[in-house]
PDB file of all heavy atoms in Angstrom:
ATOM      1  N   LYS A  62    -114.977 -18.693 -29.511  1.00  0.00           N
ATOM      2  CA  LYS A  62    -114.373 -17.357 -29.524  1.00  0.00           C
ATOM      3  C   LYS A  62    -114.400 -16.770 -30.931  1.00  0.00           C
ATOM      4  O   LYS A  62    -114.785 -15.602 -31.130  1.00  0.00           O
ATOM      5  CB  LYS A  62    -112.937 -17.439 -29.022  1.00  0.00           C
ATOM      6  CG  LYS A  62    -112.225 -16.091 -29.000  1.00  0.00           C
ATOM      7  CD  LYS A  62    -110.735 -16.230 -28.776  1.00  0.00           C
ATOM      8  CE  LYS A  62    -110.036 -16.705 -30.032  1.00  0.00           C
ATOM      9  NZ  LYS A  62    -108.565 -16.646 -29.924  1.00  0.00           N
ATOM     10  N   LEU A  66    -116.413 -13.354 -32.100  1.00  0.00           N
ATOM     11  CA  LEU A  66    -115.704 -12.214 -32.673  1.00  0.00           C
ATOM     12  C   LEU A  66    -116.227 -11.854 -34.065  1.00  0.00           C
ATOM     13  O   LEU A  66    -116.283 -10.683 -34.432  1.00  0.00           O
ATOM     14  CB  LEU A  66    -114.206 -12.506 -32.737  1.00  0.00           C
ATOM     15  CG  LEU A  66    -113.480 -12.644 -31.392  1.00  0.00           C
ATOM     16  CD1 LEU A  66    -112.027 -13.031 -31.619  1.00  0.00           C
ATOM     17  CD2 LEU A  66    -113.554 -11.350 -30.594  1.00  0.00           C
ATOM     18  N   GLU A  75    -113.284  -7.545 -34.997  1.00  0.00           N
ATOM     19  CA  GLU A  75    -113.174  -8.625 -35.988  1.00  0.00           C
ATOM     20  C   GLU A  75    -114.519  -8.975 -36.634  1.00  0.00           C
ATOM     21  O   GLU A  75    -114.624  -9.951 -37.372  1.00  0.00           O
ATOM     22  CB  GLU A  75    -112.599  -9.886 -35.325  1.00  0.00           C
ATOM     23  CG  GLU A  75    -111.177  -9.729 -34.813  1.00  0.00           C
ATOM     24  CD  GLU A  75    -111.133  -9.180 -33.400  1.00  0.00           C
ATOM     25  OE1 GLU A  75    -112.187  -8.693 -32.928  1.00  0.00           O
ATOM     26  OE2 GLU A  75    -110.072  -9.231 -32.757  1.00  0.00           O
ATOM     27  N   LEU A  94    -122.394 -19.580 -20.633  1.00  0.00           N
ATOM     28  CA  LEU A  94    -120.946 -19.364 -20.667  1.00  0.00           C
ATOM     29  C   LEU A  94    -120.451 -18.801 -19.339  1.00  0.00           C
ATOM     30  O   LEU A  94    -119.389 -19.203 -18.842  1.00  0.00           O
ATOM     31  CB  LEU A  94    -120.596 -18.417 -21.822  1.00  0.00           C
ATOM     32  CG  LEU A  94    -119.116 -18.305 -22.197  1.00  0.00           C
ATOM     33  CD1 LEU A  94    -118.558 -19.656 -22.604  1.00  0.00           C
ATOM     34  CD2 LEU A  94    -118.938 -17.306 -23.339  1.00  0.00           C
ATOM     35  N   ALA A  98    -117.682 -20.436 -16.842  1.00  0.00           N
ATOM     36  CA  ALA A  98    -116.489 -19.707 -16.405  1.00  0.00           C
ATOM     37  C   ALA A  98    -116.396 -19.602 -14.892  1.00  0.00           C
ATOM     38  O   ALA A  98    -115.308 -19.488 -14.333  1.00  0.00           O
ATOM     39  CB  ALA A  98    -116.487 -18.315 -17.027  1.00  0.00           C
ATOM     40  N   VAL A 107    -109.739 -24.300 -19.309  1.00  0.00           N
ATOM     41  CA  VAL A 107    -111.143 -24.146 -19.680  1.00  0.00           C
ATOM     42  C   VAL A 107    -111.702 -22.857 -19.078  1.00  0.00           C
ATOM     43  O   VAL A 107    -112.401 -22.088 -19.743  1.00  0.00           O
ATOM     44  CB  VAL A 107    -111.968 -25.368 -19.222  1.00  0.00           C
ATOM     45  CG1 VAL A 107    -113.464 -25.120 -19.406  1.00  0.00           C
ATOM     46  CG2 VAL A 107    -111.540 -26.604 -19.990  1.00  0.00           C
ATOM     47  N   ILE A 108    -111.386 -22.625 -17.806  1.00  0.00           N
ATOM     48  CA  ILE A 108    -111.849 -21.405 -17.142  1.00  0.00           C
ATOM     49  C   ILE A 108    -111.293 -20.169 -17.844  1.00  0.00           C
ATOM     50  O   ILE A 108    -112.007 -19.204 -18.107  1.00  0.00           O
ATOM     51  CB  ILE A 108    -111.418 -21.411 -15.660  1.00  0.00           C
ATOM     52  CG1 ILE A 108    -112.073 -22.581 -14.919  1.00  0.00           C
ATOM     53  CG2 ILE A 108    -111.763 -20.083 -15.000  1.00  0.00           C
ATOM     54  CD1 ILE A 108    -113.570 -22.523 -14.869  1.00  0.00           C
ATOM     55  N   SER A 109    -110.019 -20.208 -18.162  1.00  0.00           N
ATOM     56  CA  SER A 109    -109.375 -19.061 -18.796  1.00  0.00           C
ATOM     57  C   SER A 109    -109.973 -18.780 -20.167  1.00  0.00           C
ATOM     58  O   SER A 109    -110.286 -17.626 -20.490  1.00  0.00           O
ATOM     59  CB  SER A 109    -107.868 -19.323 -18.925  1.00  0.00           C
ATOM     60  OG  SER A 109    -107.229 -18.237 -19.547  1.00  0.00           O
ATOM     61  N   ALA A 110    -110.162 -19.823 -20.973  1.00  0.00           N
ATOM     62  CA  ALA A 110    -110.693 -19.638 -22.321  1.00  0.00           C
ATOM     63  C   ALA A 110    -112.145 -19.167 -22.292  1.00  0.00           C
ATOM     64  O   ALA A 110    -112.538 -18.271 -23.053  1.00  0.00           O
ATOM     65  CB  ALA A 110    -110.577 -20.937 -23.114  1.00  0.00           C
ATOM     66  N   SER A 111    -112.955 -19.747 -21.401  1.00  0.00           N
ATOM     67  CA  SER A 111    -114.362 -19.353 -21.339  1.00  0.00           C
ATOM     68  C   SER A 111    -114.513 -17.933 -20.801  1.00  0.00           C
ATOM     69  O   SER A 111    -115.352 -17.159 -21.271  1.00  0.00           O
ATOM     70  CB  SER A 111    -115.156 -20.340 -20.474  1.00  0.00           C
ATOM     71  OG  SER A 111    -114.600 -20.436 -19.174  1.00  0.00           O
ATOM     72  N   SER A 112    -113.681 -17.558 -19.846  1.00  0.00           N
ATOM     73  CA  SER A 112    -113.774 -16.200 -19.300  1.00  0.00           C
ATOM     74  C   SER A 112    -113.357 -15.164 -20.337  1.00  0.00           C
ATOM     75  O   SER A 112    -113.894 -14.047 -20.363  1.00  0.00           O
ATOM     76  CB  SER A 112    -112.903 -16.076 -18.052  1.00  0.00           C
ATOM     77  OG  SER A 112    -111.528 -16.200 -18.379  1.00  0.00           O
ATOM     78  N   TYR A 113    -112.432 -15.548 -21.198  1.00  0.00           N
ATOM     79  CA  TYR A 113    -112.027 -14.629 -22.258  1.00  0.00           C
ATOM     80  C   TYR A 113    -113.196 -14.353 -23.201  1.00  0.00           C
ATOM     81  O   TYR A 113    -113.443 -13.201 -23.593  1.00  0.00           O
ATOM     82  CB  TYR A 113    -110.839 -15.201 -23.031  1.00  0.00           C
ATOM     83  CG  TYR A 113    -110.390 -14.316 -24.178  1.00  0.00           C
ATOM     84  CD1 TYR A 113    -109.592 -13.201 -23.946  1.00  0.00           C
ATOM     85  CD2 TYR A 113    -110.786 -14.582 -25.481  1.00  0.00           C
ATOM     86  CE1 TYR A 113    -109.189 -12.372 -24.985  1.00  0.00           C
ATOM     87  CE2 TYR A 113    -110.399 -13.763 -26.532  1.00  0.00           C
ATOM     88  CZ  TYR A 113    -109.595 -12.662 -26.278  1.00  0.00           C
ATOM     89  OH  TYR A 113    -109.215 -11.837 -27.307  1.00  0.00           O
ATOM     90  N   VAL A 114    -113.946 -15.394 -23.556  1.00  0.00           N
ATOM     91  CA  VAL A 114    -115.096 -15.207 -24.439  1.00  0.00           C
ATOM     92  C   VAL A 114    -116.164 -14.369 -23.731  1.00  0.00           C
ATOM     93  O   VAL A 114    -116.804 -13.509 -24.341  1.00  0.00           O
ATOM     94  CB  VAL A 114    -115.671 -16.568 -24.882  1.00  0.00           C
ATOM     95  CG1 VAL A 114    -116.828 -16.354 -25.864  1.00  0.00           C
ATOM     96  CG2 VAL A 114    -114.603 -17.422 -25.529  1.00  0.00           C
ATOM     97  N   VAL A 115    -116.331 -14.603 -22.420  1.00  0.00           N
ATOM     98  CA  VAL A 115    -117.276 -13.790 -21.648  1.00  0.00           C
ATOM     99  C   VAL A 115    -116.894 -12.319 -21.734  1.00  0.00           C
ATOM    100  O   VAL A 115    -117.750 -11.439 -21.922  1.00  0.00           O
ATOM    101  CB  VAL A 115    -117.311 -14.246 -20.171  1.00  0.00           C
ATOM    102  CG1 VAL A 115    -118.059 -13.226 -19.314  1.00  0.00           C
ATOM    103  CG2 VAL A 115    -117.977 -15.605 -20.041  1.00  0.00           C
ATOM    104  N   SER A 116    -115.608 -12.019 -21.599  1.00  0.00           N
ATOM    105  CA  SER A 116    -115.172 -10.616 -21.626  1.00  0.00           C
ATOM    106  C   SER A 116    -115.424  -9.993 -22.989  1.00  0.00           C
ATOM    107  O   SER A 116    -115.760  -8.805 -23.077  1.00  0.00           O
ATOM    108  CB  SER A 116    -113.691 -10.523 -21.261  1.00  0.00           C
ATOM    109  OG  SER A 116    -112.874 -11.035 -22.290  1.00  0.00           O
ATOM    110  N   LYS A 117    -115.270 -10.775 -24.068  1.00  0.00           N
ATOM    111  CA  LYS A 117    -115.524 -10.245 -25.398  1.00  0.00           C
ATOM    112  C   LYS A 117    -117.011  -9.949 -25.592  1.00  0.00           C
ATOM    113  O   LYS A 117    -117.391  -8.923 -26.162  1.00  0.00           O
ATOM    114  CB  LYS A 117    -115.025 -11.230 -26.467  1.00  0.00           C
ATOM    115  CG  LYS A 117    -113.513 -11.245 -26.621  1.00  0.00           C
ATOM    116  CD  LYS A 117    -113.006  -9.866 -27.007  1.00  0.00           C
ATOM    117  CE  LYS A 117    -111.497  -9.815 -27.129  1.00  0.00           C
ATOM    118  NZ  LYS A 117    -111.021  -8.441 -27.425  1.00  0.00           N
ATOM    119  N   ILE A 118    -117.844 -10.847 -25.126  1.00  0.00           N
ATOM    120  CA  ILE A 118    -119.282 -10.599 -25.205  1.00  0.00           C
ATOM    121  C   ILE A 118    -119.648  -9.393 -24.339  1.00  0.00           C
ATOM    122  O   ILE A 118    -120.450  -8.541 -24.732  1.00  0.00           O
ATOM    123  CB  ILE A 118    -120.066 -11.850 -24.754  1.00  0.00           C
ATOM    124  CG1 ILE A 118    -119.824 -13.005 -25.741  1.00  0.00           C
ATOM    125  CG2 ILE A 118    -121.555 -11.547 -24.647  1.00  0.00           C
ATOM    126  CD1 ILE A 118    -120.470 -14.313 -25.325  1.00  0.00           C
ATOM    127  N   ALA A 119    -119.037  -9.309 -23.167  1.00  0.00           N
ATOM    128  CA  ALA A 119    -119.321  -8.196 -22.261  1.00  0.00           C
ATOM    129  C   ALA A 119    -118.922  -6.864 -22.880  1.00  0.00           C
ATOM    130  O   ALA A 119    -119.604  -5.850 -22.688  1.00  0.00           O
ATOM    131  CB  ALA A 119    -118.590  -8.403 -20.938  1.00  0.00           C
ATOM    132  N   VAL A 151    -111.174 -14.614 -12.622  1.00  0.00           N
ATOM    133  CA  VAL A 151    -110.658 -14.572 -13.987  1.00  0.00           C
ATOM    134  C   VAL A 151    -111.620 -13.801 -14.886  1.00  0.00           C
ATOM    135  O   VAL A 151    -111.212 -12.949 -15.689  1.00  0.00           O
ATOM    136  CB  VAL A 151    -110.421 -15.995 -14.528  1.00  0.00           C
ATOM    137  CG1 VAL A 151    -110.099 -15.948 -16.023  1.00  0.00           C
ATOM    138  CG2 VAL A 151    -109.281 -16.670 -13.785  1.00  0.00           C
ATOM    139  N   VAL A 152    -112.929 -14.072 -14.762  1.00  0.00           N
ATOM    140  CA  VAL A 152    -113.923 -13.352 -15.553  1.00  0.00           C
ATOM    141  C   VAL A 152    -113.898 -11.863 -15.209  1.00  0.00           C
ATOM    142  O   VAL A 152    -113.911 -10.997 -16.094  1.00  0.00           O
ATOM    143  CB  VAL A 152    -115.337 -13.930 -15.313  1.00  0.00           C
ATOM    144  CG1 VAL A 152    -116.383 -13.066 -16.017  1.00  0.00           C
ATOM    145  CG2 VAL A 152    -115.419 -15.354 -15.813  1.00  0.00           C
ATOM    146  N   ASN A 155    -110.814 -10.130 -16.708  1.00  0.00           N
ATOM    147  CA  ASN A 155    -110.962  -9.879 -18.140  1.00  0.00           C
ATOM    148  C   ASN A 155    -111.955  -8.753 -18.403  1.00  0.00           C
ATOM    149  O   ASN A 155    -111.793  -7.952 -19.332  1.00  0.00           O
ATOM    150  CB  ASN A 155    -111.415 -11.149 -18.862  1.00  0.00           C
ATOM    151  CG  ASN A 155    -110.289 -12.138 -19.054  1.00  0.00           C
ATOM    152  OD1 ASN A 155    -109.148 -11.754 -19.236  1.00  0.00           O
ATOM    153  ND2 ASN A 155    -110.587 -13.426 -18.987  1.00  0.00           N
ATOM    154  N   ASP A 159    -110.879  -5.501 -20.464  1.00  0.00           N
ATOM    155  CA  ASP A 159    -111.374  -5.374 -21.839  1.00  0.00           C
ATOM    156  C   ASP A 159    -112.833  -4.971 -21.965  1.00  0.00           C
ATOM    157  O   ASP A 159    -113.249  -4.510 -23.022  1.00  0.00           O
ATOM    158  CB  ASP A 159    -111.183  -6.708 -22.594  1.00  0.00           C
ATOM    159  CG  ASP A 159    -109.726  -7.138 -22.664  1.00  0.00           C
ATOM    160  OD1 ASP A 159    -108.889  -6.260 -22.896  1.00  0.00           O
ATOM    161  OD2 ASP A 159    -109.441  -8.329 -22.473  1.00  0.00           O
ATOM    162  N   ARG A 321    -101.899 -16.337 -16.443  1.00  0.00           N
ATOM    163  CA  ARG A 321    -100.862 -15.353 -16.769  1.00  0.00           C
ATOM    164  C   ARG A 321    -100.264 -14.705 -15.522  1.00  0.00           C
ATOM    165  O   ARG A 321     -99.806 -13.566 -15.550  1.00  0.00           O
ATOM    166  CB  ARG A 321    -101.400 -14.278 -17.716  1.00  0.00           C
ATOM    167  CG  ARG A 321    -101.809 -14.780 -19.090  1.00  0.00           C
ATOM    168  CD  ARG A 321    -102.455 -13.693 -19.893  1.00  0.00           C
ATOM    169  NE  ARG A 321    -103.676 -13.221 -19.245  1.00  0.00           N
ATOM    170  CZ  ARG A 321    -104.327 -12.126 -19.610  1.00  0.00           C
ATOM    171  NH1 ARG A 321    -103.867 -11.375 -20.592  1.00  0.00           N
ATOM    172  NH2 ARG A 321    -105.422 -11.753 -18.991  1.00  0.00           N
TER     173      ARG A 321
END
Side-chain angles (χ1 to χ4, degrees):
K62 180 192 76 171
L66 294 176
E75 296 87 347
L94 192 59
V107 171
I108 297 297
S109 179
S111 57
S112 66
Y113 178 80
V114 183
V115 168
S116 71
K117 285 301 178 183
I118 295 176
V151 171
V152 173
N155 283 327
D159 300 319
R321 295 174 298 168

